[in-house]
Amino acid sequence: MKFDITNPGAFSTLLVNLESGEAIKAESGAMITMSETLDVDSKMERGLLGGLSRKLLTGESLFFQTVTAARGPGQVMMASAYPGEIAVLELDGSEEYILQKDGFLAAEQSVQVSTKAQNLTKGLFSGEGFFVMRVSGKGKLAISTYGGIQKLTLAPGETRIIDNSHMVAWSANANYKIEKASKGWISSFTSGEGLVCRFHGPGDVYIQTRNSPGFGSWVRQFIPTR
């Protein structure tokens, strides 16, 4: 199975080549076009309870799309609902990733997706809610971002401060805590940053160059009010 990123930039698409009998799962509504040899269906990851937990806890759809090369090899093109880049991660089975709720785009069937509970502080202030997506297993994983995507590789003991609205995916072993952006509460919020995440390596963190809450605030100023 081959994953290629086409139309790179703000409107990236994912092109997947499947051999006969192969299948992938993707976020609901991600398919743009596909070969006539492929079939698309819907499936609950980890059964009914897994699908319900994904819907109720993260706000994501109950179902994944499942695209299967049922009548021979073929291609499928996919994209996320919002403008931004796509990155493909190769999971080797030894490492897990945590994804923000909109970060998952597609993956091989051998990759497992579940929900993970965060502690009270992270749930309230990380911007991701009390539950995030945990990805494990072996195979290719495609993540999508709002804006560009940047990979940060933290060495053991290295610390990096990241605005919580720019987090997309991170290694499960990369610990982080929530803290004020500045020394004082007033300066933290008047600076426009508020709360940030302090990550401690080792581990990888994928960040996005834009954040949707900020874009939403910018758009609202142009919407006429009564």
Side-chain angles (χ1 to χ4, degrees):
M1 188 180 300
K2 186 179 180 183
F3 282 36
D4 289 312
I5 298 172
T6 54
N7 305 300
F11 300 99
S12 295
T13 52
L14 177 69
L15 184 66
V16 182
N17 289 274
L18 295 94
E19 296 298 328
S20 182
E22 290 185 329
I24 63 166
K25 54 190 165 192
E27 187 56 42
S28 179
M31 194 274 289
I32 300 173
T33 181
M34 67 181 187
S35 304
E36 65 175 357
T37 53
L38 308 186
D39 286 338
V40 62
D41 201 354
S42 59
K43 181 181 179 182
M44 288 186 182
E45 181 79 358
R46 302 170 70 90
L48 178 60
L49 291 178
L52 286 173
S53 66
R54 205 166 98 88
K55 176 64 176 179
L56 297 174
L57 303 180
T58 68
E60 292 294 285
S61 171
L62 278 172
F63 300 94
F64 281 123
Q65 278 186 347
T66 301
V67 180
T68 306
R71 293 174 298 282
Q75 292 182 334
V76 57
M77 179 180 286
M78 298 178 167
S80 65
Y82 45 85
E85 292 189 329
I86 297 169
V88 177
L89 285 61
E90 188 75 44
L91 305 184
D92 61 6
S94 65
E95 187 173 20
E96 298 182 347
Y97 279 89
I98 308 300
L99 272 60
Q100 57 103 331
K101 58 182 181 294
D102 296 319
F104 177 83
L105 178 59
E108 295 187 60
Q109 290 286 61
S110 54
V111 174
Q112 290 83 49
V113 182
S114 59
T115 55
K116 175 184 182 295
Q118 300 200 99
N119 62 34
L120 180 62
T121 302
K122 291 179 180 179
L124 287 173
F125 302 116
S126 69
E128 304 301 335
F130 287 100
F131 295 88
V132 289
M133 300 175 70
R134 177 186 287 271
V135 180
S136 60
K138 189 174 183 179
K140 295 180 179 65
L141 164 70
I143 60 174
S144 58
T145 65
Y146 177 56
I149 188 168
Q150 179 73 44
K151 178 183 178 182
L152 305 175
T153 299
L154 306 184
E158 183 180 357
T159 299
R160 180 67 71 107
I161 297 172
I162 302 172
D163 184 286
N164 54 9
S165 296
H166 290 265
M167 291 161 40
V168 178
W170 55 96
S171 302
N173 64 328
N175 296 317
Y176 76 93
K177 63 179 181 179
I178 310 295
E179 61 182 35
K180 303 186 298 293
S182 303
K183 292 182 178 179
W185 284 107
I186 294 178
S187 59
S188 291
F189 285 99
T190 55
S191 69
E193 294 300 328
L195 298 171
V196 294
C197 300
R198 181 182 290 269
F199 274 86
H200 299 280
D204 295 329
V205 183
Y206 290 82
I207 60 174
Q208 58 189 15
T209 60
R210 298 291 184 271
N211 74 79
S212 50
F215 179 70
S217 298
W218 180 80
V219 169
R220 278 194 292 272
Q221 65 181 316
F222 301 107
I223 299 175
T225 58
R226 293 183 179 180

